[in-house]
Amino acid sequence: MKWFDNSQTLLQSDLVPLNGLTNSWQQVIANLVAPAGTATAYLDLYSPSGKAGDSLYLDDVMLTDAD
């Protein structure tokens, strides 16, 4: 997750590692806190073990306001 302020300046990056790509479902839970001054968040998904043509399926991705 990348957190940006109103000027689109990167404030912080948080990594949520997966346990490698598999053919079965994996549950991943991350409780991240946006730094002060955050205006937007960018979810960046990538895998160093993936290759061209691989797929990543996501189910029930939630971003919530803790307030």
Side-chain angles (χ1 to χ4, degrees):
M1 183 70 72
K2 294 181 180 179
W3 310 97
F4 296 90
D5 66 10
N6 282 328
S7 301
Q8 293 304 301
T9 300
L10 179 64
L11 299 173
Q12 178 176 310
S13 293
D14 291 309
L15 295 178
V16 180
L18 300 176
N19 293 326
L21 299 178
T22 68
N23 290 329
S24 60
W25 287 102
Q26 298 180 53
Q27 182 179 26
V28 177
I29 298 173
N31 293 310
L32 306 176
V33 177
T38 295
T40 59
Y42 176 76
L43 180 61
D44 189 15
L45 303 170
Y46 67 92
S47 170
S49 63
K51 62 185 182 307
D54 284 349
S55 297
L56 174 66
Y57 298 96
L58 302 172
D59 184 22
D60 292 332
V61 174
M62 293 190 314
L63 301 175
T64 60
D65 185 349
D67 290 340

